[in-house]
mmCIF file of all heavy atoms in Angstrom:
data_model
loop_
_atom_site.group_PDB
_atom_site.id
_atom_site.type_symbol
_atom_site.label_atom_id
_atom_site.label_comp_id
_atom_site.label_asym_id
_atom_site.label_seq_id
_atom_site.Cartn_x
_atom_site.Cartn_y
_atom_site.Cartn_z
ATOM 1 N N VAL M 341 -18.327 -8.103 -8.874
ATOM 2 C CA VAL M 341 -19.640 -8.689 -9.203
ATOM 3 C C VAL M 341 -20.729 -7.743 -8.752
ATOM 4 O O VAL M 341 -20.511 -6.897 -7.904
ATOM 5 C CB VAL M 341 -19.846 -10.070 -8.553
ATOM 6 C CG1 VAL M 341 -18.878 -11.151 -9.095
ATOM 7 C CG2 VAL M 341 -19.765 -9.965 -7.046
ATOM 8 N N LEU M 342 -21.899 -7.873 -9.371
ATOM 9 C CA LEU M 342 -23.111 -7.164 -8.959
ATOM 10 C C LEU M 342 -22.806 -5.680 -8.856
ATOM 11 O O LEU M 342 -22.454 -5.025 -9.870
ATOM 12 C CB LEU M 342 -23.634 -7.714 -7.650
ATOM 13 C CG LEU M 342 -23.996 -9.225 -7.726
ATOM 14 C CD1 LEU M 342 -24.476 -9.762 -6.362
ATOM 15 C CD2 LEU M 342 -25.078 -9.513 -8.765
ATOM 16 N N TRP M 343 -22.978 -5.117 -7.666
ATOM 17 C CA TRP M 343 -22.912 -3.649 -7.530
ATOM 18 C C TRP M 343 -21.451 -3.175 -7.359
ATOM 19 O O TRP M 343 -21.229 -1.942 -7.369
ATOM 20 C CB TRP M 343 -23.715 -3.187 -6.282
ATOM 21 C CG TRP M 343 -23.103 -3.579 -4.969
ATOM 22 C CD1 TRP M 343 -22.287 -2.822 -4.175
ATOM 23 C CD2 TRP M 343 -23.210 -4.835 -4.291
ATOM 24 N NE1 TRP M 343 -21.892 -3.499 -3.061
ATOM 25 C CE2 TRP M 343 -22.480 -4.739 -3.074
ATOM 26 C CE3 TRP M 343 -23.861 -6.033 -4.585
ATOM 27 C CZ2 TRP M 343 -22.344 -5.819 -2.175
ATOM 28 C CZ3 TRP M 343 -23.790 -7.065 -3.678
ATOM 29 C CH2 TRP M 343 -23.018 -6.992 -2.499
ATOM 30 N N ILE M 344 -20.471 -4.029 -7.202
ATOM 31 C CA ILE M 344 -19.072 -3.591 -7.035
ATOM 32 C C ILE M 344 -18.506 -3.325 -8.404
ATOM 33 O O ILE M 344 -18.060 -4.275 -9.114
ATOM 34 C CB ILE M 344 -18.250 -4.644 -6.301
ATOM 35 C CG1 ILE M 344 -18.907 -5.024 -4.964
ATOM 36 C CG2 ILE M 344 -16.813 -4.147 -6.063
ATOM 37 C CD1 ILE M 344 -18.973 -3.882 -3.971
ATOM 38 N N LYS M 345 -18.503 -2.065 -8.785
ATOM 39 C CA LYS M 345 -17.999 -1.634 -10.143
ATOM 40 C C LYS M 345 -16.597 -1.131 -10.103
ATOM 41 O O LYS M 345 -15.968 -0.977 -11.144
ATOM 42 C CB LYS M 345 -18.923 -0.562 -10.743
ATOM 43 C CG LYS M 345 -20.390 -0.977 -10.748
ATOM 44 C CD LYS M 345 -20.630 -2.157 -11.590
ATOM 45 C CE LYS M 345 -22.136 -2.480 -11.743
ATOM 46 N NZ LYS M 345 -22.376 -3.708 -12.491
ATOM 47 N N ASP M 346 -16.052 -0.836 -8.898
ATOM 48 C CA ASP M 346 -14.704 -0.267 -8.810
ATOM 49 C C ASP M 346 -14.069 -0.801 -7.494
ATOM 50 O O ASP M 346 -14.440 -0.315 -6.427
ATOM 51 C CB ASP M 346 -14.705 1.240 -8.856
ATOM 52 C CG ASP M 346 -13.314 1.830 -8.874
ATOM 53 O OD1 ASP M 346 -12.321 1.112 -8.799
ATOM 54 O OD2 ASP M 346 -13.247 3.066 -8.907
ATOM 55 N N LEU M 347 -13.117 -1.739 -7.623
ATOM 56 C CA LEU M 347 -12.494 -2.338 -6.418
ATOM 57 C C LEU M 347 -11.577 -1.353 -5.703
ATOM 58 O O LEU M 347 -11.182 -1.618 -4.586
ATOM 59 C CB LEU M 347 -11.731 -3.569 -6.804
ATOM 60 C CG LEU M 347 -12.642 -4.818 -7.061
ATOM 61 C CD1 LEU M 347 -11.811 -5.908 -7.777
ATOM 62 C CD2 LEU M 347 -13.231 -5.377 -5.800
ATOM 63 N N SER M 348 -11.187 -0.228 -6.369
ATOM 64 C CA SER M 348 -10.309 0.727 -5.760
ATOM 65 C C SER M 348 -11.119 1.762 -5.018
ATOM 66 O O SER M 348 -10.528 2.685 -4.417
ATOM 67 C CB SER M 348 -9.435 1.414 -6.795
ATOM 68 O OG SER M 348 -10.204 2.182 -7.684
ATOM 69 N N ALA M 349 -12.423 1.707 -5.028
ATOM 70 C CA ALA M 349 -13.318 2.675 -4.351
ATOM 71 C C ALA M 349 -14.110 1.933 -3.202
ATOM 72 O O ALA M 349 -14.217 0.673 -3.285
ATOM 73 C CB ALA M 349 -14.248 3.330 -5.324
ATOM 74 N N PRO M 350 -14.600 2.657 -2.226
ATOM 75 C CA PRO M 350 -15.384 2.005 -1.175
ATOM 76 C C PRO M 350 -16.634 1.370 -1.706
ATOM 77 O O PRO M 350 -17.140 1.738 -2.817
ATOM 78 C CB PRO M 350 -15.682 3.168 -0.196
ATOM 79 C CG PRO M 350 -14.671 4.181 -0.494
ATOM 80 C CD PRO M 350 -14.406 4.060 -1.939
ATOM 81 N N ASP M 351 -17.217 0.443 -0.988
ATOM 82 C CA ASP M 351 -18.487 -0.232 -1.312
ATOM 83 C C ASP M 351 -19.586 0.863 -1.358
ATOM 84 O O ASP M 351 -19.825 1.494 -0.373
ATOM 85 C CB ASP M 351 -18.797 -1.285 -0.273
ATOM 86 C CG ASP M 351 -20.059 -2.070 -0.605
ATOM 87 O OD1 ASP M 351 -20.816 -1.635 -1.524
ATOM 88 O OD2 ASP M 351 -20.339 -3.065 0.092
ATOM 89 N N PRO M 352 -20.228 1.036 -2.550
ATOM 90 C CA PRO M 352 -21.169 2.148 -2.625
ATOM 91 C C PRO M 352 -22.593 1.810 -2.067
ATOM 92 O O PRO M 352 -23.396 2.701 -1.962
ATOM 93 C CB PRO M 352 -21.229 2.385 -4.164
ATOM 94 C CG PRO M 352 -20.991 0.979 -4.731
ATOM 95 C CD PRO M 352 -20.063 0.305 -3.774
ATOM 96 N N LEU M 353 -22.838 0.525 -1.817
ATOM 97 C CA LEU M 353 -24.216 0.119 -1.464
ATOM 98 C C LEU M 353 -24.325 0.118 0.063
ATOM 99 O O LEU M 353 -23.731 -0.742 0.738
ATOM 100 C CB LEU M 353 -24.470 -1.242 -2.012
ATOM 101 C CG LEU M 353 -25.998 -1.611 -2.123
ATOM 102 C CD1 LEU M 353 -26.693 -0.663 -3.075
ATOM 103 C CD2 LEU M 353 -26.145 -3.067 -2.729
ATOM 104 N N THR M 354 -25.036 1.090 0.624
ATOM 105 C CA THR M 354 -25.121 1.207 2.078
ATOM 106 C C THR M 354 -26.532 1.262 2.566
ATOM 107 O O THR M 354 -27.444 1.861 1.879
ATOM 108 C CB THR M 354 -24.409 2.495 2.555
ATOM 109 O OG1 THR M 354 -24.678 2.720 3.918
ATOM 110 C CG2 THR M 354 -24.841 3.725 1.728
ATOM 111 N N PRO M 355 -26.881 0.587 3.636
ATOM 112 C CA PRO M 355 -28.276 0.675 4.186
ATOM 113 C C PRO M 355 -28.580 2.049 4.794
ATOM 114 O O PRO M 355 -29.749 2.281 5.066
ATOM 115 C CB PRO M 355 -28.274 -0.410 5.279
ATOM 116 C CG PRO M 355 -26.830 -0.632 5.648
ATOM 117 C CD PRO M 355 -26.041 -0.330 4.440
ATOM 118 N N ILE M 356 -27.583 2.881 5.000
ATOM 119 C CA ILE M 356 -27.869 4.230 5.556
ATOM 120 C C ILE M 356 -28.820 5.001 4.715
ATOM 121 O O ILE M 356 -29.678 5.704 5.235
ATOM 122 C CB ILE M 356 -26.529 5.015 5.762
ATOM 123 C CG1 ILE M 356 -25.519 4.218 6.628
ATOM 124 C CG2 ILE M 356 -26.781 6.362 6.297
ATOM 125 C CD1 ILE M 356 -26.060 3.981 8.045
ATOM 126 N N ASN M 357 -28.687 4.888 3.363
ATOM 127 C CA ASN M 357 -29.654 5.521 2.460
ATOM 128 C C ASN M 357 -30.568 4.532 1.793
ATOM 129 O O ASN M 357 -31.051 4.748 0.741
ATOM 130 C CB ASN M 357 -28.978 6.402 1.409
ATOM 131 C CG ASN M 357 -28.017 5.579 0.551
ATOM 132 O OD1 ASN M 357 -27.993 4.349 0.617
ATOM 133 N ND2 ASN M 357 -27.249 6.295 -0.271
ATOM 134 N N LEU M 358 -30.818 3.447 2.515
ATOM 135 C CA LEU M 358 -31.682 2.324 2.037
ATOM 136 C C LEU M 358 -31.238 1.860 0.664
ATOM 137 O O LEU M 358 -32.017 1.688 -0.253
ATOM 138 C CB LEU M 358 -33.132 2.796 1.963
ATOM 139 C CG LEU M 358 -33.780 3.186 3.313
ATOM 140 C CD1 LEU M 358 -35.221 3.561 3.144
ATOM 141 C CD2 LEU M 358 -33.662 2.005 4.330
#
Side-chain angles (χ1 to χ4, degrees):
V341 293
L342 300 176
W343 71 95
I344 305 297
K345 306 299 183 184
D346 185 358
L347 285 165
S348 67
D351 183 351
L353 201 60
T354 171
I356 302 298
N357 59 8
L358 297 182

